[in-house]
Amino acid sequence: RPDNHGALNSTMPLKLTSRAWTAAGRQEFTPPKERHVKKHQEKLLTYLTEAVNIKSRLKTLLQKMNQKTVVVLTCNHGQSELLMNFACSARARGFDLLNVLVFPTDMETKELAEGLGLATFYEEKIMASIPKAEASVYGDSIFTSVMFAKVLCVQLVNELGYDLLFQDADVVWYKDPLDYFHDKSLPEFDIYFQDDGSRQERYAPYSANTGFYYVRSNDVTKHLFRHMLYSSDLIDAWNSHQQVLISLLAEHSSVMGLSVKIFPKEMEEFPGGLQYHRKKESLKKIISGDSKAYIFHMSWTNNKKDKLKFFQQMGEWYLNEQCIGKEAHEITDEKSAILGSNIGGVLFKHCCSAEPLITCHYRDKPSKVPCPDSPFIDKKGKSFW
């Protein structure tokens, strides 16, 4: 290619170049601008100022939970329906969720999570900069701002010596995923990831999906996530938590000996957006109950609106209509709903259905039942059934 610009040109001599350049001539790894650095420094200063107190409070909570491994999530109010659906669907399948810890980014989400009986850890000073609204599309400014919460919750729990499973809110469980990671026959790595399925240059070499991964707490992973915390200005610069973490995985694997396992995209246990949009037979096995899947992750989906519709159609939606887009006090006046005073949570009886709430939306997307009268969503879509 010509110097520092332009698409690949096969007629030109070979030359050394950064892997940051795509074949089309786009630079994927740009240094952060001054505005990114300033914004990050402000958040990092707050974190470092409050770190001792935060870790002390969190350590007390984790000890009270008394779990070998913690399932960690973070969520803002704009995405709270997905968090609530995770809780409702898990309870419908008999999971008690006592090992789940939610890091809400606002009081509204804290009250909803506790109202469903989930443990929460909320730090207002750090989360104050994170918007409450939902992201319009993947990678927009709101989406990017929420990504800092994904850095914090993992770094804090990992630093305190706990193994953890991080997952996004757009996940449902069929079997307890911790049973898989606690199996003694599982080859031991420091960190395990769901395969994203995307082979974009910016996700090389691992193509790790950072919305579902398991971390063993040790000196190597603690250093990794401290580095991630200190490098979070790149999230704003690149509009991607995933891209930053993958780049650090490559560095820490080479320099620190970090052992990384990416589950093959062909394996049934941890399906996601790749299977949903491109592997019809895999989804039919999941829908029929014949799959080995432990979870399903609704990745590769532009926004919450589509995620809700896809979950509803797939038979994985358990959140009652009256609880969508609401705050806890709008659902019930019972104080225990907000305080989360029992295992089920008082919001559970108002919000959670025992059976999936199935609605057809698109005939060319996976569905629990045939949807022949629904429109296509993709230009060249074909009926799923």
Side-chain angles (χ1 to χ4, degrees):
R1 74 172 89 244
D3 288 341
N4 297 326
H5 70 280
L8 290 177
N9 185 339
S10 60
T11 66
M12 296 184 67
L14 291 174
K15 60 181 290 188
L16 183 65
T17 186
S18 154
R19 69 179 179 89
W21 289 99
T22 68
R26 185 174 62 253
Q27 168 60 275
E28 297 278 26
F29 292 81
T30 56
K33 303 292 186 183
E34 183 177 351
R35 67 180 185 276
H36 301 135
V37 176
K38 182 178 179 181
K39 181 180 177 182
H40 173 57
Q41 287 176 342
E42 290 172 354
K43 290 188 288 188
L44 192 58
L45 178 60
T46 302
Y47 170 88
L48 294 174
T49 302
E50 301 294 330
V52 173
N53 176 54
I54 290 171
K55 291 178 184 179
S56 176
R57 289 172 46 224
L58 180 57
K59 182 178 180 180
T60 299
L61 175 58
L62 291 168
Q63 289 173 340
K64 183 178 179 181
M65 289 177 67
N66 193 30
Q67 298 293 323
K68 177 182 177 182
T69 303
V70 183
V71 179
V72 175
L73 298 90
T74 187
C75 188
N76 74 344
H77 189 243
Q79 301 289 328
S80 59
E81 296 93 337
L82 294 170
L83 173 65
M84 296 174 77
N85 183 65
F86 162 69
C88 291
S89 63
R91 290 257 162 71
R93 291 187 166 102
F95 301 110
D96 61 33
L97 302 183
L98 295 177
N99 53 9
V100 173
L101 178 58
V102 179
F103 286 71
T105 65
D106 48 66
M107 280 299 298
E108 291 83 355
T109 306
K110 179 180 187 293
E111 293 171 354
L112 289 169
E114 291 181 355
L116 288 171
L118 299 174
T120 69
F121 184 84
Y122 177 58
E123 177 48 59
E124 184 176 12
K125 291 179 180 178
I126 293 181
M127 299 299 187
S129 64
I130 297 176
K132 297 180 182 180
E134 67 182 90
S136 298
V137 294
Y138 175 89
D140 71 7
S141 60
I142 294 177
F143 177 92
T144 303
S145 295
V146 174
M147 292 303 101
F148 187 65
K150 291 181 66 169
V151 176
L152 285 175
C153 63
V154 171
Q155 190 274 326
L156 285 167
V157 175
N158 171 262
E159 184 84 9
L160 289 173
Y162 288 82
D163 294 350
L164 67 92
L165 172 65
F166 176 84
Q167 66 167 63
D168 284 341
D170 58 345
V171 170
V172 292
W173 289 4
Y174 303 118
K175 296 182 284 187
D176 187 340
L178 293 186
D179 289 344
Y180 183 91
F181 293 107
H182 290 166
D183 190 324
K184 298 297 184 182
S185 66
L186 181 69
E188 188 162 327
F189 288 81
D190 293 318
I191 190 165
Y192 305 77
F193 286 89
Q194 180 185 43
D195 190 326
D196 184 82
S198 173
R199 297 299 185 258
Q200 298 177 56
E201 290 96 333
R202 65 190 181 126
Y203 297 151
Y206 288 114
S207 190
N209 186 299
T210 56
F212 186 85
Y213 61 97
Y214 184 87
V215 186
R216 301 186 192 279
S217 181
N218 56 45
D219 289 344
V220 177
T221 58
K222 288 177 183 179
H223 182 58
L224 167 69
F225 287 106
R226 280 195 297 268
H227 195 171
M228 181 73 179
L229 173 67
Y230 300 150
S231 302
S232 291
D233 48 359
L234 290 173
I235 296 177
D236 285 328
W238 299 348
N239 296 317
S240 174
H241 169 278
Q242 182 179 10
Q243 184 178 339
V244 178
L245 183 50
I246 291 174
S247 70
L248 292 180
L249 291 177
E251 178 180 348
H252 283 246
S253 175
S254 174
V255 177
M256 298 290 176
L258 176 77
S259 56
V260 181
K261 174 64 177 178
I262 311 298
F263 293 121
K265 62 182 180 180
E266 294 80 11
M267 72 181 289
E268 291 187 8
E269 283 80 357
F270 303 110
L274 169 67
Q275 288 74 19
Y276 184 86
H277 293 287
R278 296 185 181 178
K279 306 293 182 182
K280 180 187 293 188
E281 295 308 313
S282 295
L283 263 293
K284 286 187 174 181
K285 288 182 70 175
I286 292 173
I287 289 170
S288 68
D290 296 326
S291 172
K292 298 177 183 177
Y294 279 76
I295 60 101
F296 179 80
H297 179 198
M298 191 62 78
S299 54
W300 282 32
T301 306
N302 275 336
N303 52 50
K304 184 187 71 176
K305 181 180 178 181
D306 284 345
K307 290 176 189 284
L308 265 63
K309 289 182 177 180
F310 294 164
F311 272 136
Q312 288 170 345
Q313 181 161 305
M314 193 178 165
E316 297 298 344
W317 192 254
Y318 289 79
L319 182 65
N320 291 326
E321 182 69 26
Q322 66 265 29
C323 296
I324 295 178
K326 299 294 179 62
E327 297 178 20
H329 68 87
E330 296 175 305
I331 298 170
T332 178
D333 291 330
E334 299 175 64
K335 292 296 183 182
S336 54
I338 296 175
L339 297 175
S341 62
N342 59 62
I343 291 176
V346 176
L347 288 184
F348 179 78
K349 67 182 180 182
H350 297 281
C351 296
C352 295
S353 171
E355 300 294 331
L357 304 170
I358 302 171
T359 306
C360 283
H361 294 286
Y362 305 109
R363 64 191 299 180
D364 54 336
K365 292 300 176 184
S367 57
K368 187 75 172 178
V369 297
C371 299
D373 299 324
S374 299
F376 292 101
I377 186 174
D378 295 333
K379 290 183 179 180
K380 297 182 180 180
K382 296 181 180 180
S383 179
F384 180 74
W385 292 100

